[in-house]
Amino acid sequence: MVMEVLFWLCLVLVVYTYVGYGMVLCLLVSIKKKLAHQADNTMDEQREWPEVTLLICAYNEEEVVEMKMDNTRRLDYPQGKLKVMWVTDGSNDHTNDKLSTYEEVTVVYCPERQGKTAALNHGISECTTELVIMTDANTQLNSQAIKEMVKPFNDPKVSCVAGEKRVMAREESQTAAQGEGAYWKYESKLKKWDDALYSAMGCAGELCAIRKELYEPMAKDTLLDDFEMSMKTLMKGYRIAYTSDAYAMEYGSANIEEESKRKKRIAAGGLQSIWRLRALLNPFAHPIVAFQFVSHRVLRWSITPIALLALIPINVWLVFNKAGIIYHIIWVMQILFYLAAFLGYLLDKRGRKISILYIPYYFLFMNINVFKGMSYLMQHRNNGAWEKAKRG
């Protein structure tokens, strides 16, 4: 029966995207480790550390300048080897004034706000170092972050390095931050396994690094600049390394409405990136990358949310047509899942949180924002600027 085939295709797709790929990836990494000894390509402490630029793109960040610079000054890296550059994209507050008090900072000012991608293009063109490490103004880096980001570049096949993102919540009742934190813990595990198999699937702008010579200026309307920037290097035969020893800490979104702004933009950027990086989907040219890219990114940004939604009417149809007891069982499970998500939503509105409920709530929230992202992308025209989400 056609409806039964569609049902199982949708169900397998959903399970594989959110659970199955991680299991398959873990298995493949275990097999690889048994079959081949992986060389340690880290840099010894005694070797010469290269000059590095820490690049911070900012728009009206006067409230966090002092915090960010205090954190930057605590970074453990040889004196004189770490250059600090801020690119202030159309800032019209006191960001530039505050930065002018720091002698070690180079400020690249763009009077017109054009978005982060334009700021990156401008900033990296001004960098004079071989390696550029990018981070956000509102993040805190661990003291060893720069050294740990530099080490993987000892492998000449590494084009980019992705650091770990850690999300903090000021209050236990912040569902948005709690959900985002749980998501990033799982995402970090996938990145670690992706790297172990062949390459991490992109970098996050909170903390990432690139060889300057491999950076390609991007279109100003690019929404996921960090992801697209790093993934483009895979087309040249390089790979993206991942390290959890370098991490950026930031507070999660202040509330679920603010988090929706981020998720909507990320979903829109994901769809945009899939098209622009479509060459990586060719399994004959990039066999391992195509498998990882589709499994880790493409499915969750495109087909799988549709399959998740389609499961509801297809399951109902099969139940009413008495296709079998298994469809009744799965339908009851779907009802319980969506009921749990709805209860999680109601509790969040009342400022309360029960862990077992906020996970399905956040999962459903993420998938709903994929559809919002589709709408956002259709309305998005030649502008890389976007509304910042307020942090908790």
Side-chain angles (χ1 to χ4, degrees):
M1 187 184 293
V2 175
M3 294 298 280
E4 288 187 84
V5 172
L6 284 175
F7 176 83
W8 288 108
L9 282 175
C10 289
L11 185 60
V12 168
L13 196 58
V14 170
V15 173
Y16 174 74
T17 300
Y18 298 111
V19 181
Y21 175 59
M23 297 171 66
V24 171
L25 195 57
C26 183
L27 177 62
L28 291 175
V29 169
S30 297
I31 293 173
K32 180 181 178 181
K33 287 182 178 179
K34 290 180 180 179
L35 294 178
H37 174 69
Q38 295 180 322
D40 182 7
N41 290 313
T42 59
M43 179 180 288
D44 295 328
E45 191 72 32
Q46 290 73 27
R47 292 184 58 177
E48 185 73 15
W49 294 96
E51 286 192 342
V52 176
T53 298
L54 183 66
L55 183 65
I56 305 159
C57 293
Y59 168 68
N60 287 354
E61 297 285 6
E62 63 178 2
E63 294 181 359
V64 299
V65 167
E66 293 178 7
M67 176 199 74
K68 185 65 177 180
M69 287 307 302
D70 286 346
N71 177 245
T72 299
R73 286 178 166 178
R74 290 196 297 270
L75 296 174
D76 181 17
Y77 204 71
Q79 188 173 4
K81 292 293 183 77
L82 180 63
K83 300 178 183 296
V84 182
M85 177 183 291
W86 284 66
V87 182
T88 56
D89 175 50
S91 293
N92 52 21
D93 63 353
H94 296 290
T95 298
N96 290 338
D97 295 332
K98 288 192 173 185
L99 288 173
S100 65
T101 64
Y102 296 93
E103 295 182 358
E104 70 270 35
V105 172
T106 298
V107 177
V108 177
Y109 176 55
C110 307
E112 180 184 357
R113 189 187 181 198
Q114 300 181 64
K116 186 180 176 183
T117 303
L120 271 178
N121 289 339
H122 190 180
I124 290 184
S125 70
E126 297 287 334
C127 291
T128 59
T129 59
E130 177 188 352
L131 301 179
V132 180
I133 299 177
M134 290 145 279
T135 184
D136 288 343
N138 64 334
T139 60
Q140 296 278 286
L141 308 183
N142 62 306
S143 62
Q144 297 298 310
I146 305 300
K147 285 185 176 180
E148 296 300 332
M149 292 292 285
V150 166
K151 287 179 181 179
F153 284 111
N154 196 42
D155 180 353
K157 297 303 291 181
V158 169
S159 57
C160 297
V161 177
E164 183 171 292
K165 175 180 175 177
R166 298 183 182 181
V167 179
M168 303 176 291
R170 292 187 192 275
E171 299 176 8
E172 202 171 316
S173 60
Q174 281 186 285
T175 305
Q178 294 284 348
E180 188 185 356
Y183 165 79
W184 274 104
K185 286 178 182 178
Y186 179 61
E187 182 67 17
S188 295
K189 182 64 70 174
L190 289 182
K191 283 187 176 183
K192 180 179 180 180
W193 288 337
D194 272 332
D195 178 27
L197 182 64
Y198 176 65
S199 171
M201 288 294 102
C203 295
E206 287 78 9
L207 182 57
C208 60
I210 190 172
R211 296 185 191 273
K212 186 194 171 185
E213 63 179 353
L214 296 178
Y215 181 83
E216 294 183 9
M218 295 174 286
K220 292 181 180 180
D221 66 342
T222 302
L223 294 170
L224 284 189
D225 45 83
D226 41 18
F227 179 76
E228 188 173 317
M229 170 200 75
S230 54
M231 291 294 287
K232 276 184 175 180
T233 65
L234 299 182
M235 298 178 186
K236 301 177 181 179
Y238 290 89
R239 73 179 193 87
I240 303 165
Y242 171 76
T243 175
S244 59
D245 293 325
Y247 52 88
M249 299 173 288
E250 67 176 352
Y251 288 105
S253 299
N255 52 54
I256 209 70
E257 288 77 18
E258 294 298 318
E259 177 67 357
S260 182
K261 294 177 184 178
R262 294 184 60 256
K263 290 301 181 186
K264 180 174 64 175
R265 181 184 62 86
I266 291 171
L271 289 168
Q272 183 188 65
S273 298
I274 290 171
W275 175 249
R276 293 181 177 180
L277 300 168
R278 59 190 180 278
L280 293 176
L281 300 176
N282 184 347
F284 299 103
H286 310 280
I288 302 178
V289 171
F291 162 68
Q292 292 182 286
F293 187 25
V294 170
S295 299
H296 192 163
R297 300 297 188 185
V298 175
L299 291 179
R300 67 168 68 172
W301 282 336
S302 58
I303 304 172
T304 301
I306 297 173
L308 181 66
L309 180 64
L311 275 174
I312 299 172
I314 295 175
N315 202 168
V316 170
W317 191 93
L318 291 170
V319 167
F320 278 95
N321 282 273
K322 301 178 180 179
I325 188 65
I326 184 64
Y327 300 107
H328 287 76
I329 294 173
I330 295 175
W331 177 234
V332 171
M333 292 173 66
Q334 283 207 73
I335 291 174
L336 292 174
F337 175 81
Y338 287 107
L339 180 60
F342 181 66
L343 289 174
Y345 164 77
L346 292 179
L347 287 173
D348 179 52
K349 287 297 182 182
R350 290 164 173 75
R352 298 171 58 193
K353 179 183 73 69
I354 298 179
S355 298
I356 199 171
L357 297 178
Y358 82 71
I359 292 176
Y361 168 39
Y362 193 80
F363 173 82
L364 189 59
F365 163 80
M366 288 195 304
N367 281 280
I368 289 173
N369 277 282
V370 171
F371 293 100
K372 290 183 179 180
M374 293 176 183
S375 174
Y376 179 87
L377 185 61
M378 288 188 287
Q379 299 170 16
H380 174 74
R381 292 290 183 274
N382 302 318
N383 185 6
W386 51 278
E387 185 181 358
K388 294 190 297 183
K390 296 178 182 177
R391 293 289 175 173

